[in-house]
Amino acid sequence: MSEIRVLVVEDEPLLAEAHRAYTERVPGFVVVGVAHTAREAMAVLRQRGGADVDLVLLDFRLPDLPGLDVCRALRAAGSSIDVLAVTSVRDLAVVRTAVSLGVTHYLLKPFTFAAFRDKLERYAEYRRQALAEGEVAAQHEVDRMFATLRGAARHTLPKGLDEHTLNTVLAALGADGRSATEVSRRTGISRVTARRYLEYLVAADRAVRAPRYGTPGRPEVEYRPM
């Protein structure tokens, strides 16, 4: 996937520069512009329909118009450009409105670089999944996309398991389900490792385990996504 092009919208020059520098420290992101007012931001986004911008880092307290007005203008124009709110506004009514306008993340000031990077990395992974071709195979793929974006379950995996391999195992299951041996062959991980991930998915109510009959000897265990 090509670099994610970012517009920073922040009225305070020092903060705008800090957000630009933070963004360009995260691999896969590039800042294509900095705006200090809502009107300046909307002017940039109107150029060629905003085709040069993928993500807006948007302060909600701007000197001319509220940042939410930028969101409203984008949606009214039919734009699907994503917005990450970077703001000190803690009003729940504003948060609800932001969600209704499709703001992907809401990052409260002040924040650390680690928190900022985490938001961008989650967004990049969500974008990678969302821009894939074809259709989702099952409910778990939709759940995984939303979990990636919202941050669910990233830090809840048992020791020794990682999110990337878990997603690979989930994808290998497909819609019809497979055994640990079949998952091992498809992913290149050992059968023991594949079975550990599959058992975790069962315990997390993301897969079901059932015997597979029709083969000689003892029935093989099959795992199916929920």
Side-chain angles (χ1 to χ4, degrees):
M1 188 175 68
S2 59
E3 287 185 314
I4 296 171
R5 299 161 298 183
V6 178
L7 172 66
V8 174
V9 184
E10 167 62 56
D11 66 313
E12 296 187 29
L14 288 177
L15 285 180
E17 175 58 24
H19 297 171
R20 184 201 62 76
Y22 271 12
T23 300
E24 295 195 331
R25 285 175 61 187
V26 182
F29 290 83
V30 59
V31 174
V32 295
V34 176
H36 300 291
T37 68
R39 289 186 176 88
E40 186 181 343
M42 288 188 283
V44 172
L45 294 169
R46 277 195 299 268
Q47 295 174 6
R48 293 187 294 279
D52 293 334
V53 178
D54 302 308
L55 177 67
V56 180
L57 302 186
L58 181 62
D59 184 13
F60 279 178
R61 285 185 171 142
L62 297 170
D64 51 346
L65 293 169
L68 283 175
D69 284 357
V70 176
C71 296
R72 291 189 181 97
L74 283 172
R75 302 316 173 216
S79 173
S80 60
I81 292 173
D82 291 317
V83 175
L84 193 164
V86 183
T87 181
S88 59
V89 177
R90 287 167 165 76
D91 189 326
L92 283 174
V94 173
V95 175
R96 288 194 298 270
T97 302
V99 171
S100 72
L101 292 171
V103 171
T104 59
H105 278 306
Y106 200 103
L107 182 59
L108 285 171
K109 300 175 183 176
F111 50 82
T112 63
F113 172 67
F116 182 85
R117 180 182 59 200
D118 181 68
K119 297 295 186 189
L120 290 193
E121 288 176 345
R122 289 186 188 283
Y123 171 75
E125 176 60 19
Y126 162 78
R127 182 178 172 83
R128 184 191 66 77
Q129 295 175 41
L131 294 182
E133 298 292 334
E135 300 180 352
V136 293
Q139 179 65 44
H140 75 270
E141 292 190 6
V142 178
D143 292 342
R144 184 172 73 240
M145 286 176 61
F146 279 92
T148 298
L149 187 60
R150 302 305 178 194
R154 171 175 276 201
H155 301 296
T156 61
L157 289 177
K159 186 177 180 179
L161 303 189
D162 68 83
E163 194 73 26
H164 175 74
T165 305
L166 181 67
N167 290 337
T168 301
V169 169
L170 270 170
L173 278 181
D176 299 326
R178 293 187 171 88
S179 68
T181 300
E182 291 166 337
V183 169
S184 172
R185 289 171 182 162
R186 284 178 170 265
T187 60
I189 62 178
S190 71
R191 182 183 178 280
V192 172
T193 300
R195 187 174 183 278
R196 187 178 178 201
Y197 277 93
L198 292 165
E199 288 296 328
Y200 167 77
L201 291 171
V202 171
D205 293 325
R206 298 173 68 181
V208 293
R209 183 197 313 110
R212 178 192 288 174
Y213 297 98
T215 57
R218 298 173 58 185
E220 193 170 21
V221 175
E222 180 179 80
Y223 299 85
R224 295 179 183 175
M226 294 182 65

